[in-house]
Amino acid sequence: MNKSAPLFEPTIAAIVTPVVLATLMTAVVEPRLNVDSLFLMVFATSIVSFVHTIFLGLPAVLFLKKMDKMRWWSLVCVGCIVGCGPTGFLLWPLGAEGGFSHWDGAKVVVLRENGIPTSAGWAEYTNTVLLMGAIGAISGLTFWLVQRIILHRNLTSKLRVK
């Protein structure tokens, strides 16, 4: 990868990608969501995406750039780790006291009983962490694609000048 590869536009794309994905997923799952709730979700997702990208993703990208290891697959892996790492840590179900359950639309699902996650609790935890990892991986791929597009555009414009 070119040492002068752009960072600003790909970083913005990596921040926007989870917001767009979350909005699309919410529109599919909850099509009757009111505008205020949707705005709040977009705002919260933007903040979380910004923090993940700037404080976790960008340092990893700079490290990969320094090591000359910026490839599509390395950015996908970094995005996955940035997406699922903090989520897995923050939502870790062990050590929490008491119980927790939710209504799934048909019945009450017990996720934690006496501080111990049930199989449904572990399944929900795993699904959430994997979903965040997938969103992060897509953001990493978006970063790489935007960077490649900009590099290609810059190269072709330099060739036309000569």
Side-chain angles (χ1 to χ4, degrees), residues 98-127:
F100 182 75
S101 59
H102 71 81
W103 180 257
D104 73 352
K107 64 185 180 315
V108 173
V109 178
V110 177
L111 301 176
R112 190 172 55 237
E113 216 169 359
N114 299 322
I116 299 171
T118 62
S119 58
W122 281 115
E124 183 159 311
Y125 170 79
T126 302
N127 288 339

Side-chain angles (χ1 to χ4, degrees), residues 15-35:
I15 291 170
V16 170
T17 299
V19 178
V20 171
L21 291 174
T23 304
L24 291 174
M25 288 187 300
T26 302
V28 169
V29 173
E30 194 61 48
R32 293 175 288 158
L33 193 67
N34 66 36
V35 175

